[in-house]
Amino acid sequence: MKVRNRRRGSDKIELQMTPMIDIVFQLLVFFIMTFKVVSMEGDFNIKMPQAAPSAAPPEQMEFPPLKLYMTANENGDLSSLTLNEQSFEGNNPFVELNRYIQQEIGLDGGPGSARETAEIEIGFDFNLKYTHVIGAITAVSGTKDQRTNEILPLIEKVRFTPPREAE
Amino acid sequence: MKIKKQSDDDVLEGDLTPMIDMTFQLIAFFMVLINFTQTETDDRVKLPDSSLAKPPEIVMEDPIIIQLTDQSEFIFGRSTLAVNQLQSSLSREYQGIQFSGRDPKDTTVVIRAHGDAAAGEVQEVIQVCQDVGFENFALRAQENIQTFKYIAPTSGP
């Protein structure tokens, strides 16, 4: 049997790199194409059974249920924001609302505290953009400590008032 | 002048090791980041921003996801429905959950609505779900870095 001579001069075994590089590049292209930059998503949990009763009778609550109402202009943008007769204006009324809630409710969440018992009912015009509703829920449900980046909760019981018919 | 002889082969071989190292690192990077769960999302829905939107620590068990576009389309599963059709689909889902031995009242309905969608339509979805018998809702939002300033409590006099 004829044995093929080894290559002269070197004892190195040379691996064929080309197929491996081909496959590796194919994999790389696949992962790059399927890569999608998405920002993190989170939820606001709302427990809302049909005809939900209040958690406690109003006389036992330190705060009566807060009622927030948002009206919309014809484009669906926010035109007014009122919380129990008090209206919030300015460039960003949600910042004002958040500040008000922080002052009124406080961040103390011990048993029987205002924060624990407080409830809020959010109502709005039919055509209001949903982003404003999320803005209001964000403003009433918490704030973030700038130093620790920790979320400090405010009102946890959030409900919607029954929908109004579109005008 | 003495000229160094080339080796027997005339083929010049570049060193491929650094390139392969880098390529494998890139593959590992993309492999770790790939997320197939994003298939539940729809490009027509652009979620509103919220600074408090944090991914939940406990993963929800088989949530029902309803999406709402700014064109008043309700997306449930893979189909685009109107409100009245949504009710029958949700009723079937409710029966399916009951049949599998779980309590439908523990099931969370995740609402992914476009930021420009009419909020009244989101309420319509909630009402339809309530009519069917679902109680737990999760309004989904996208995390952003803007936040409300925390007012430190003022110290007493």
Side-chain angles (χ1 to χ4, degrees):
Chain A
M1 197 176 78
K2 197 175 180 183
V3 178
R4 193 182 277 178
N5 272 341
R6 271 195 184 172
R7 280 161 67 184
R8 278 184 297 134
S10 87
D11 288 340
K12 260 187 177 175
I13 300 166
E14 296 225 346
L15 288 170
Q16 271 292 327
M17 299 298 268
T18 321
M20 190 189 77
I21 292 170
D22 282 353
I23 294 295
V24 165
F25 273 109
Q26 292 228 16
L27 279 171
L28 189 60
V29 168
F30 168 76
F31 284 117
I32 289 173
M33 300 292 269
T34 51
F35 183 65
K36 201 175 166 187
V37 182
V38 283
S39 48
M40 301 292 255
E41 291 180 4
D43 295 323
F44 290 101
N45 292 312
I46 293 175
K47 190 172 169 67
M48 216 160 56
Q50 206 158 27
S54 190
E59 62 271 16
Q60 285 180 18
M61 293 167 73
E62 195 173 330
F63 278 90
L66 299 164
K67 283 185 196 260
L68 180 77
Y69 198 85
M70 288 177 281
T71 56
N73 62 17
E74 57 196 16
N75 298 324
D77 290 318
L78 186 70
S79 73
S80 75
L81 175 71
T82 42
L83 177 74
N84 290 1
E85 309 300 319
Q86 178 165 358
S87 76
F88 296 89
E89 281 158 13
N91 284 341
N92 196 344
F94 296 128
V95 176
E96 301 295 321
L97 174 66
N98 182 259
R99 193 168 295 154
Y100 179 81
I101 299 274
Q102 280 189 52
Q103 283 164 353
E104 289 297 308
I105 306 290
L107 293 159
D108 174 34
S113 64
R115 186 167 78 70
E116 202 204 20
T117 54
E119 278 183 38
I120 192 160
E121 258 186 35
I122 300 178
F124 37 80
D125 286 352
F126 188 91
N127 66 330
L128 182 76
K129 285 180 180 169
Y130 178 62
T131 188
H132 299 303
V133 177
I134 291 292
I137 296 174
T138 307
V140 300
S141 61
T143 186
K144 219 182 221 181
D145 192 334
Q146 303 277 351
R147 283 165 296 177
T148 57
N149 220 17
E150 187 189 345
I151 292 173
L152 309 165
L154 289 166
I155 303 173
E156 286 169 0
K157 293 172 192 139
V158 178
R159 285 189 289 153
F160 288 153
T161 48
R164 274 192 190 177
E165 287 302 310
E167 287 168 14
Chain B
M1 198 176 80
K2 200 173 182 182
I3 295 170
K4 213 178 198 178
K5 262 191 179 176
Q6 263 190 348
S7 61
D8 308 342
D9 298 348
D10 281 343
V11 182
L12 282 172
E13 289 200 4
D15 190 5
L16 292 175
T17 321
M19 189 189 74
I20 292 167
D21 282 355
M22 279 310 297
T23 317
F24 274 114
Q25 291 225 14
L26 281 169
I27 287 179
F29 171 76
F30 285 111
M31 263 176 81
V32 169
L33 287 188
I34 199 163
N35 189 357
F36 290 109
T37 57
Q38 292 300 328
T39 47
E40 75 190 27
T41 63
D42 193 293
D43 290 339
R44 286 173 284 177
V45 177
K46 194 176 177 301
L47 297 177
D49 289 343
S50 170
S51 56
L52 302 183
K54 287 272 164 217
E57 285 166 13
I58 305 157
V59 180
M60 278 184 260
E61 201 181 323
D62 297 328
I64 294 171
I65 297 168
I66 300 172
Q67 310 197 58
L68 172 61
T69 68
D70 55 343
Q71 304 297 318
S72 306
E73 296 165 321
F74 297 92
I75 304 163
F76 180 59
R78 288 177 185 274
S79 45
T80 308
L81 307 166
V83 184
N84 50 352
Q85 295 168 311
L86 193 62
Q87 181 141 18
S88 55
S89 302
L90 282 170
S91 300
R92 278 198 297 276
E93 193 75 29
Y94 188 89
Q95 284 160 6
I97 294 167
Q98 275 182 327
F99 187 72
S100 64
R102 288 180 292 140
D103 185 3
K105 290 195 182 340
D106 296 335
T107 306
T108 306
V109 180
V110 176
I111 298 171
R112 299 183 82 253
H114 193 290
D116 290 342
E121 286 169 347
V122 177
Q123 275 192 320
E124 277 182 350
V125 175
I126 292 175
Q127 207 172 32
V128 168
C129 295
Q130 285 176 329
D131 291 344
V132 172
F134 294 108
E135 288 185 1
N136 293 317
F137 300 93
L139 304 178
R140 193 153 280 184
Q142 191 172 283
E143 186 185 11
N144 76 346
I145 39 172
Q146 281 184 354
T147 181
F148 299 115
K149 210 172 176 183
Y150 160 58
I151 310 165
T154 47
S155 53

